[in-house]
Amino acid sequence: MLLRIRSRDGLERVQVGGPHVSISQLKALIESQLQIPIHNQTLSTDRNLLLAKTPADLLRFTDMSDPSRPLSSLNLSHGSVVFLYYQGERTVRGGAPVCPAGSFGRKMTMDDLIAKQTRITRQESPHCDSVSFDRDSANAFQRYVNETLAFAVKRGGFMYGTVSEEGRVEVDFIYEPPQQGMEDDLILLRDPEEEKLVDAIAAGLGRKRVGFIFTQTIMQDKKDYNFSNKEVLQAAELHAESGLKEWVTVVVKLEANEDGDADVHFEAFQMSDMCVKLFKEGWFVTEFAEDDDPKLSKMKKEVVVGGKDVKEVDNDFFLVVVKIIDHQGPLSSTFPIENRNNLATMRTLKNHLDRTKSLPFVKRIADFHLLLFLAMSHGLGSDVPALAECVSTETAVPEGYQLLIESMASTS
C-alpha cells in the first residue's frame, strides 16, 4: 500500500505494508524512507498541520498521536494523503551530490544545457479521476495469477472499457495477449492481427483500450519499489503508444495481512507526463545489467532531481496514484480466457451455451472472450463486431448468426 506524505518539501510517497500498520510503524517507515527522525515528526490527516507556527499549535493535531492506532481506523488506504510537520533540515532523496566539475571543469554542450533544464518533480494529480473494475473481470484475472500461476511468473493484459468526461475510467474486460512471463520480466508477444480483432470487438461493444495491468511475483515481494525499472519502461512505452491521457497502469501483487496470511492487492497509477515525455524523447536507458538497482531508472543524460544533477531517478517520481473502485458491468467473464494454458474448443462453446440456455441468446454470448473465440474460429472475424453491437445494444441476434454459432458448437 502506498501513502502520499505532504510536507513543506512537497508530496512524497511511502510504501507501507497495509492498513493494519500502526502509526508508530508508519513513523519508522517515514524515517527509513524519507530520512526524517521519528522524534521530529508530527502527523495528521488535517492539512492545517502545515500552517502550524509554534509547538503549541502542533498540540491541536491529535488524530495521529496514539502510536498504537492502526491506519485503518483513520480510513487511510492506498493513495491516501497524510500531512507531516517536522523540525530541522533534511536532504530530499534524489541522487548523488552535485559535482562542480559539471559546470566549471568542462565545456558545456547543447545537450548539457537541455539536461540542466530537464527537472523531474512529482506530479501530484492524475488525469484519471479513478479507475473502476468490473468485479467479475478483475476476479478472473487475479484468480488465475494467484491459483494457477501462484504469482511465480509475471502476467499482463490490456484493459478495455470507457472514459467519462470527468476522467473516470471503467474497465469491463481484460484481453491477455500472447506473452512470456518470468520472475522479474514480462515479454508481450503481440500479434497485430489478433489485436486488430480485439479492438474491432471492443468498438462493437462501445469500449476501447484504456490501460495495462500486470502482476509482480512473490520473488519481487521484498523489493523496495512500487515499480521496477523494467516495469517503468514497459508502462511508459504502452502509455506513450496509447495516446490516451487517462491511460491507467495497474499492478497486482500479494501482500501479507495482519494475520500473516497473503492477500491479493490491486494498485493503480498513471505514468507522469514527464515520464511519458522522456520515454518518447529517448532519455531512458533500455538495457539492464544484473547489478542494476531495480528501484532506479537510468537516464542517458543528466536530469535535475531535488536540485541535483543525476543519471538515476527513483521510480516513484514517475508514478501518480489513482483511486480504485469497482462496479458490476454488463458483460460476463465465464468463458475461458485467450492465450492461457486452458485453450477453448468447440466443446467449451457447447458447454457454455448449454449452461446459459435459459437466457436470451444475446445474453448467452455477452462475453468478450467468447466473442474473440468466435472471431478466430471458422473465418467469423468480420462478422463478430456486428454480434458485439447486438450485445452492446441488447438487441436480438439475427437468426442466421444464432444458427451458425449453435451449429459450430454442435460439431464438438
Side-chain angles (χ1 to χ4, degrees), residues 239-291:
H239 191 146
E241 175 190 301
S242 75
L244 181 67
K245 69 176 183 177
E246 296 90 357
W247 181 269
V248 183
T249 303
V250 177
V251 59
V252 182
K253 55 188 175 181
L254 280 180
E255 287 188 350
N257 59 30
E258 56 188 353
D259 298 322
D261 298 324
D263 292 330
V264 178
H265 283 262
F266 285 63
E267 295 180 1
F269 302 89
Q270 282 200 287
M271 309 313 292
S272 69
D273 295 342
M274 177 58 75
C275 177
V276 176
K277 177 178 182 291
L278 292 176
F279 176 82
K280 288 181 176 179
E281 295 178 357
W283 285 65
F284 283 90
V285 173
T286 57
E287 300 295 327
F288 303 96
E290 288 188 11
D291 59 349

